[in-house]
Amino acid sequence: AADARGGAVGGGADGQGAGLSAEATAAAPTLATRLIAVADNERHAPELLPYPAALLGQTMARLSAQLDKIVVAERERREEEARGLREPSVLPFHPEDLYRLECSRIQFLINSILRTRLQKIHRFASRIAMNPDSFADRLTANEIAVATRLHEIEQQALLDGGL
């Protein structure tokens, strides 16, 4: 039977990630730890921080792979229970539910980072729209486009309101 533990976003269930030794794993922060740090930094910094493209891309790839493994493990567990190879659990949850919960926590962190960035982009939209080149190292092209469009909408609302 497949196991949903391998390749967890924060490392394996045994505390080791991707075949690293225990010492290397203890020294290197997990993706989840790095994601928490980025979320905290983004939330508490008054300015826009550089977009963490590498971290978010790596996390999303690992998260997608983990969710695929969870679906396969759930399907195999149900098939084994239906064929009588495994007795149904007496617990109100299955291990896959815990892994799915951890994935939801990681998704929440990613959404928190993006929400915070969007709030800051809204706050600084006029500055970004007036001088997008000065923000090019910290924002993605999509974020600059959003800021520019927000600035245009705000300017049009002010003109329509007679201000």
Side-chain angles (χ1 to χ4, degrees):
D3 190 353
R5 285 179 281 171
V9 173
D14 58 356
Q16 296 183 11
L20 297 176
S21 67
E23 297 81 28
T25 303
T30 63
L31 285 176
T33 305
R34 291 173 34 213
L35 203 60
I36 291 168
V38 167
D40 286 344
N41 290 340
E42 191 70 56
R43 190 177 315 114
H44 297 295
E47 73 278 356
L48 279 159
L49 299 176
Y51 185 77
L55 177 63
L56 291 180
Q58 187 180 13
T59 303
M60 292 301 294
R62 296 270 309 265
L63 190 61
S64 177
Q66 184 66 19
L67 288 170
D68 291 343
K69 288 179 182 181
I70 291 169
V71 168
V72 169
E74 285 177 336
R75 186 177 339 114
E76 288 181 0
R77 178 186 45 82
R78 286 189 189 115
E79 289 173 359
E80 287 177 0
E81 286 175 357
R83 287 184 277 154
L85 299 175
R86 181 190 291 194
E87 293 197 26
S89 176
V90 295
L91 298 173
F93 60 88
H94 300 283
E96 299 88 6
D97 297 333
L98 299 176
Y99 294 120
R100 190 177 301 276
L101 183 64
E102 183 67 13
C103 289
S104 296
R105 186 176 77 94
I106 299 299
Q107 287 172 331
F108 179 83
L109 280 171
I110 292 170
N111 290 337
S112 175
I113 292 168
L114 298 177
R115 237 187 344 264
T116 303
R117 288 186 66 80
L118 192 56
Q119 289 170 348
K120 288 181 181 182
I121 289 168
H122 186 264
R123 187 178 331 134
F124 299 127
S126 59
R127 268 197 267 170
I128 296 168
M130 296 298 180
N131 194 3
D133 293 336
S134 67
F135 289 91
D137 61 333
R138 290 180 269 168
L139 298 174
T140 65
N142 287 339
E143 290 174 331
I144 291 173
V146 166
T148 304
R149 184 67 182 132
L150 276 172
H151 177 69
E152 292 169 0
I153 291 170
E154 287 174 353
Q155 292 300 315
Q156 189 60 44
L158 289 172
L159 289 174
D160 291 347
L163 299 175

